[in-house]
Amino acid sequence: MEKCASERFRDRRESLTLTSFQSLPPPDELQDQENAKFGRPSLLRATPKRALYRRLSRRAIDFASLREADIYKSVEFNEEDLPNTVETDSTPILLLRFTSKATPELIKQVKKRLESTGELKIAAEEISSRNGTVVLGITTTQDELLLEAEQVNLVKMTNPAETYGKARIMEPFRKDNPFRYLNVDSPSFFTGAERVTLCWSMLDGITVLNHDELENEMSLLFDELGVEYLRQNQYSIPDKLMESFRSMIEDGSCDPLLHVLKQNEFVDVVSAVHHRQILRTFHSDAMNPLKTFPLDSLRAYYGETVAFYFGWMDFFTKMLIIPGFAGTVNIVYMRVSGKSIVTCEWTTLFGVFMFLWGICFLRMWDRQESKLSYRWGTFDKGDGGMLKPKYEPRVQFQGQVQFSPVTGRLEKHYPMYKRRMKQFVSAWITLCMLSIAFVVMIMSLNLRGYVHPDHNRERWQNDDSHPFYFPSIAALSEKGAIFDATSTYCSLIPTIIHVVVIQTMNTIYRQVAEKLTEWENYETDHGHEDSLILKRFAFEAFDAFLPLFYLAFYEKDILKLRSELVQVFNFDMFRRMALEFIVPRATQIIGKKADDIRKTKKLDITKDDDDYTPLTDESELDEYEEFDDYLEMVIQLGYITLFASAYPFASAVALIANIVEVRTDLLKLTQVCRRPRPYRVGTIGTWKIVLICTVWLSALTNCLIFGMTSNQLMELIPNYLISDSDLDFVTGKGSIAAVVLIFGLERLMLVVGLIIYLALPSVPEDVQCELQRIQFVEMKESLEFRRSNLVEHEKTVMRPNVS
């Protein structure tokens, strides 16, 4: 039966499409054809063999994609149109410090190995005058940065003139069509953080052996020193692996060089290099609280990890303006009306207000986070962008070497059941240390006079009936004693002792938690970080909140709760500023004077005559960790939300403290710490889960405080609670009706909070519109390419054969 016209057209189109893909020449021939077409020299002939193989194998550049890129160019693509290579040899991007364990021959071979790939260059080499350690300054070129940006899918802004519909969108960078991206020909195309990220990625990608090497000078030296490292050619490929997997294995590939150096303690510091002129700008901005916080500048210099912390901190501080004002009004009302925290009816509503504020804060931050991540090119839409490597293997990971059935490569494997057993042991060790913290807390409360049977003789008939009362310790807080609880100054001494002891315990457990997490042997940095966050937050939150929970829900004394909260909250604010910036900065200044500042330390950023700081000095700065900064702010959020009904003025105090805190954190980052490694992240990570749990828990704690710890709820609705003699809410506080009312209000707060949470979308409409436009542009450009490709091959197939 003869086919209709539509069927013949469909068959013809399928034949042409099949022919087009089958007739494509090899990548090298296609590249030569493109070079001849546009009259430029062949890259294959002009590129050295080693560098060519590195570019083809390591970055897997698909030259066939040049055909697709032709439809996006408004002008012909010539080699001279490529951005000029920007040499950055005089400006080190990274520094690498060797330990005293590294021999001169090892350092020589490492330098040779780093430069042998053609990607990195040694820009400087310095020897410390203190201990003789060697520090290398590492840099690269602009062309290498462009190649690495394609490898890691770095997201950049497109040029509207080169995009369908003149749209400006964010998409992963592709070296085959560089002028598709905005300002690609500018030396500032990459931000400082992006240059560090790409250079660090190159450093991580350098292995001990090349793909085609069985040994080299570096490996022979390691063998001589007895250094163990993983290389594929040391193991025989098991027969059970499929042939397709066997072909994926590269003979000679092995562990990254940097991992081997770190694991064997030849290198102890790898860091990004500071630029003092930029730090001067941050310093001036930090000292001016009236100036807009330089968030985008921070992101460009330090990367998204640091920028998201300061972005969250700045957003948190601004959101505290409303509850800070409301808390101030509440305190003024209490003073004017002569009411206390126990009898003020409006304090009940303030606790409800703080819970609803917390829900709005979480959702509004989700929206702000989406805006920042899209603007910075880290919005995770599931199909691109270089985010923080959650599955990057850790250097310290230990396991049995075996072939992976997924990748066909040698990988370390650690059984899950062993890790679960270690986690169980870690939990028991943590519980034991929490028990010690509980005993310390009870002794501290006795020392401050918070625990005494006389406070509630209806409940404690005699001294022995109180399980946590220790007369010998509590006697020190009686009137006229050394820690007189009625004295303004003497009563502060136990509080200071309590804070010092808690900080000491937190420091001890920090080391224990790091050892336990390392012992649990997580394969990735992401798993290691999450486990450490869980341990440290659980312990430090327990230390911070347990005395407050005890006073609120066991002693049921809101006056003591308020007194403890005011003292600990305010003292902790000054403690953070002292320990995080003042003490480290003073230590550095004293150390600089002792070691001849002019030669070795040039950290005073107010000097305009010298921008250079020796690499040896930078390597001795403290390591920056945003972990402690996040932890302190999350605990602060717990203070102002979990116990809002006991201390309404906490929000106003936190507002003032955070204005100072964000500036001191920036000063600490720029003057005290090394420049951290930037990771491309789209959120604040696991801390968001901690924030969510804290805010939702505040509904229960506030209801219990104003319903069972104080008389606030009775003052708000006195007629209902006093009308029936069976519901003596003042003395009982635990009657069935009161409990039903308290938990009914708590459920109502949760329902209202859930409605607010669902009513506010996490991604704003403008960001959703941008994401939809990206999908539309990609769809249209893909369709145009297919049409162009089809028409071209139709002409080729339909052209008559002259021969």
Side-chain angles (χ1 to χ4, degrees):
M1 182 177 180
E2 185 178 357
K3 296 182 179 180
C4 63
S6 61
E7 292 177 342
R8 291 196 303 270
F9 177 78
R10 184 182 66 249
D11 294 343
R12 177 61 176 167
R13 183 181 59 186
E14 293 176 354
S15 175
L16 289 175
T17 304
L18 181 61
T19 304
S20 64
F21 286 102
Q22 291 177 342
S23 61
L24 285 176
D28 53 350
E29 296 182 9
L30 177 61
Q31 177 64 15
D32 282 335
Q33 294 175 12
E34 296 292 337
N35 293 334
K37 175 181 177 181
F38 294 110
R40 59 176 181 260
S42 174
L43 293 178
L44 294 177
R45 292 188 294 270
T47 307
K49 182 178 180 180
R50 180 181 296 274
L52 172 64
Y53 191 90
R54 174 175 55 82
R55 293 186 180 184
L56 290 178
S57 60
R58 184 174 180 273
R59 296 183 172 82
I61 298 178
D62 184 9
F63 289 107
S65 61
L66 288 175
R67 183 183 301 278
E68 178 179 356
D70 286 341
I71 67 171
Y72 303 140
K73 292 190 281 288
S74 57
V75 296
E76 286 191 354
F77 179 79
N78 295 310
E79 190 178 50
E80 51 267 20
D81 293 331
L82 284 172
N84 294 327
T85 299
V86 180
E87 297 292 341
T88 57
D89 296 29
S90 60
T91 308
I93 300 177
L94 301 178
L95 65 85
L96 187 147
R97 187 176 74 179
F98 292 91
T99 64
S100 57
K101 187 178 179 180
T103 62
E105 180 63 23
L106 176 65
I107 298 174
K108 176 183 177 182
Q109 292 300 328
V110 170
K111 292 166 54 180
K112 184 177 180 180
R113 179 63 185 141
L114 292 179
E115 292 187 325
S116 65
T117 62
E119 298 177 311
L120 302 177
K121 295 184 178 181
I122 306 300
E125 181 177 355
E126 298 180 6
I127 300 178
S128 175
S129 59
R130 295 183 178 181
N131 49 24
T133 56
V134 177
V135 180
L136 299 181
I138 302 174
T139 187
T140 186
T141 62
Q142 184 78 355
D143 188 55
E144 293 294 338
L145 292 174
L146 293 172
L147 290 171
E148 191 68 21
E150 180 179 31
Q151 172 67 16
V152 299
N153 287 331
L154 183 68
V155 177
K156 300 295 291 184
M157 179 73 72
T158 60
N159 188 350
E162 304 293 333
T163 312
Y164 179 87
K166 305 298 181 181
R168 180 177 294 185
I169 63 176
M170 304 290 291
E171 70 176 25
F173 178 79
R174 292 294 176 264
K175 178 69 163 57
D176 50 37
N177 189 21
F179 289 98
R180 176 175 172 82
Y181 304 92
L182 197 63
N183 299 326
V184 71
D185 54 348
S186 171
S188 60
F189 176 66
F190 295 112
T191 65
E194 289 171 345
R195 296 172 68 85
V196 172
T197 300
L198 297 174
C199 189
W200 214 311
S201 178
M202 297 178 198
L203 182 60
D204 286 337
I206 297 178
T207 56
V208 178
L209 294 169
N210 286 328
H211 68 281
D212 55 352
E213 290 181 331
L214 297 179
E215 62 181 22
N216 58 17
E217 293 180 325
M218 188 81 258
S219 66
L220 292 175
L221 180 59
F222 280 157
D223 294 338
E224 181 181 344
L225 296 175
V227 175
E228 297 182 358
Y229 58 95
L230 177 64
R231 48 182 174 182
Q232 306 281 3
N233 55 34
Q234 290 179 328
Y235 300 86
S236 58
I237 304 174
D239 296 332
K240 63 181 180 179
L241 288 180
M242 295 187 301
E243 192 64 30
S244 58
F245 285 144
R246 293 167 64 90
S247 63
M248 294 169 59
I249 300 176
E250 298 177 350
D251 294 334
S253 61
C254 60
D255 276 343
L257 176 62
L258 184 60
H259 285 200
V260 178
L261 295 174
K262 283 185 175 180
Q263 195 170 23
N264 292 272
E265 299 180 351
F266 294 126
V267 170
D268 60 347
V269 173
V270 180
S271 175
V273 178
H274 272 303
H275 296 280
R276 293 295 156 188
Q277 186 176 3
I278 299 177
L279 293 186
R280 245 186 236 108
T281 304
F282 289 149
H283 178 262
S284 62
D285 293 340
M287 298 305 294
N288 186 3
L290 301 179
K291 192 172 183 179
T292 304
F293 198 76
L295 192 58
D296 288 312
S297 299
L298 276 175
R299 178 256 169 181
Y301 184 74
Y302 285 106
E304 286 74 18
T305 306
V306 172
F308 265 113
Y309 165 72
F310 283 98
W312 177 81
M313 184 72 174
D314 185 56
F315 183 81
F316 178 39
T317 303
K318 293 177 181 177
M319 287 290 291
L320 284 173
I321 295 177
I322 297 177
F325 176 78
T328 304
V329 172
N330 183 272
I331 293 297
V332 172
Y333 171 76
M334 290 171 54
R335 295 293 177 88
V336 173
S337 62
K339 295 185 178 182
S340 66
I341 192 68
V342 180
T343 59
C344 182
E345 68 276 11
W346 295 112
T347 307
T348 302
L349 298 180
F350 185 80
V352 177
F353 164 76
M354 283 303 298
F355 167 73
L356 298 179
W357 170 88
I359 297 298
C360 294
F361 165 69
L362 292 176
R363 214 50 174 170
M364 294 299 292
W365 168 247
D366 286 340
R367 297 168 63 85
Q368 177 69 8
E369 193 177 58
S370 299
K371 291 181 179 180
L372 293 177
S373 61
Y374 179 80
R375 189 169 77 201
W376 295 340
T378 59
F379 188 89
D380 188 8
K381 54 190 181 68
D383 59 352
M386 186 182 66
L387 300 181
K388 188 174 182 178
K390 296 183 178 181
Y391 308 105
E392 181 179 345
R394 299 181 64 246
V395 178
Q396 300 83 357
F397 176 65
Q398 301 292 330
Q400 183 180 2
V401 177
Q402 63 183 31
F403 282 92
S404 171
V406 178
T407 63
R409 297 177 58 86
L410 278 175
E411 296 178 358
K412 296 178 182 179
H413 175 73
Y414 190 74
M416 180 59 67
Y417 76 90
K418 290 185 178 180
R419 183 176 296 118
R420 295 300 185 195
M421 294 176 61
K422 291 183 177 181
Q423 290 172 344
F424 181 76
V425 175
S426 298
W428 273 105
I429 295 176
T430 302
L431 287 176
C432 292
M433 296 198 66
L434 288 177
S435 301
I436 298 174
F438 178 78
V439 173
V440 172
M441 182 268 297
I442 293 297
M443 298 302 173
S444 175
L445 293 179
N446 276 268
L447 194 63
R448 285 178 284 174
Y450 287 150
V451 181
H452 202 289
D454 290 341
H455 297 158
N456 190 351
R457 278 301 178 182
E458 294 183 1
R459 184 179 181 187
W460 315 113
Q461 301 297 329
N462 51 67
D463 292 351
D464 296 335
S465 61
H466 199 302
F468 303 118
Y469 174 63
F470 296 89
S472 59
I473 299 178
L476 298 176
S477 64
E478 295 179 355
K479 189 173 182 179
I482 187 174
F483 300 135
D484 186 357
T486 61
S487 174
T488 304
Y489 300 102
C490 293
S491 61
L492 290 178
I493 299 177
T495 302
I496 297 174
I497 296 175
H498 172 76
V499 173
V500 171
V501 171
I502 291 301
Q503 282 301 120
T504 303
M505 294 185 61
N506 289 342
T507 302
I508 295 174
Y509 182 75
R510 174 180 180 176
Q511 299 175 359
V512 173
E514 291 175 351
K515 294 293 184 181
L516 290 175
T517 308
E518 189 68 35
W519 178 60
E520 291 170 7
N521 194 27
Y522 289 93
E523 182 179 2
T524 64
D525 289 323
H526 179 66
H528 181 90
E529 180 181 343
D530 285 349
S531 179
L532 187 60
I533 288 176
L534 178 62
K535 291 184 181 68
R536 287 195 56 191
F537 175 76
F539 187 86
E540 298 194 26
F542 184 88
D543 280 348
F545 298 146
L546 183 61
L548 304 177
F549 279 115
Y550 173 84
L551 295 174
F553 307 127
Y554 190 80
E555 293 289 337
K556 296 183 179 180
D557 193 328
I558 193 172
L559 294 179
K560 296 177 184 176
L561 171 63
R562 176 184 172 83
S563 176
E564 173 71 5
L565 185 59
V566 169
Q567 292 183 21
V568 174
F569 183 78
N570 294 342
F571 189 83
D572 187 65
M573 175 184 67
F574 294 104
R575 190 270 310 168
R576 291 200 309 267
M577 289 188 291
L579 294 183
E580 292 183 5
F581 176 72
I582 298 177
V583 173
R585 183 59 177 162
T587 303
Q588 280 191 354
I589 293 176
I590 295 174
K592 290 193 293 184
K593 291 180 179 179
D595 294 322
D596 191 3
I597 289 299
R598 195 62 185 170
K599 293 183 179 180
T600 59
K601 288 290 182 183
K602 298 177 182 179
L603 293 177
D604 187 0
I605 62 177
T606 62
K607 295 180 180 180
D608 295 331
D609 59 343
D610 198 352
D611 290 338
Y612 176 71
T613 300
L615 298 179
T616 53
D617 292 343
E618 287 208 23
S619 66
E620 294 172 359
L621 298 177
D622 295 336
E623 182 180 3
Y624 174 74
E625 294 182 0
E626 72 274 3
F627 184 95
D628 291 329
D629 295 333
Y630 271 118
L631 182 61
E632 292 165 354
M633 290 299 101
V634 170
I635 291 179
Q636 183 193 83
L637 179 67
Y639 283 137
I640 66 178
T641 56
L642 295 175
F643 308 99
S645 299
Y647 189 25
F649 196 60
S651 300
V653 176
L655 174 62
I656 299 174
N658 286 1
I659 293 176
V660 179
E661 176 85 12
V662 70
R663 308 293 168 174
T664 56
D665 282 348
L666 185 56
L667 289 175
K668 176 187 69 173
L669 179 65
T670 56
Q671 297 190 42
V672 179
C673 299
R674 296 194 298 265
R675 187 178 177 184
R677 177 176 184 174
Y679 288 103
R680 295 186 59 81
V681 298
T683 67
I684 60 175
T686 309
W687 293 109
K688 185 186 293 187
I689 301 176
V690 178
L691 294 174
I692 292 174
C693 295
T694 302
V695 170
W696 285 98
L697 181 62
S698 66
L700 175 62
T701 57
N702 282 284
C703 286
L704 292 177
I705 289 174
F706 60 65
M708 302 185 68
T709 306
S710 68
N711 299 333
Q712 296 172 357
L713 188 60
M714 185 202 68
E715 294 291 335
L716 184 64
I717 45 177
N719 295 330
Y720 173 77
L721 293 176
I722 300 179
S723 60
D724 192 343
S725 59
D726 295 334
L727 301 178
D728 188 2
F729 193 72
V730 179
T731 58
K733 293 185 181 179
S735 61
I736 298 177
V739 171
V740 171
L741 181 61
I742 292 172
F743 286 97
L745 178 60
E746 185 254 352
R747 295 297 186 274
L748 179 61
M749 291 170 60
L750 292 178
V751 171
V752 175
L754 184 61
I755 294 174
I756 296 175
Y757 193 82
L758 297 177
L760 293 174
S762 60
V763 181
E765 293 183 0
D766 54 347
V767 177
Q768 293 180 1
C769 180
E770 291 295 329
L771 295 175
Q772 292 174 0
R773 183 165 65 171
I774 291 176
Q775 295 178 353
F776 174 77
V777 171
E778 290 177 349
M779 180 188 66
K780 285 294 185 180
E781 291 181 340
S782 177
L783 182 61
E784 288 293 334
F785 165 69
R786 292 178 181 177
R787 290 176 177 174
S788 175
N789 188 63
L790 181 62
V791 170
E792 179 182 351
H793 285 279
E794 278 184 344
K795 293 179 179 179
T796 303
V797 175
M798 297 296 293
R799 185 181 298 121
N801 191 350
V802 178
S803 60

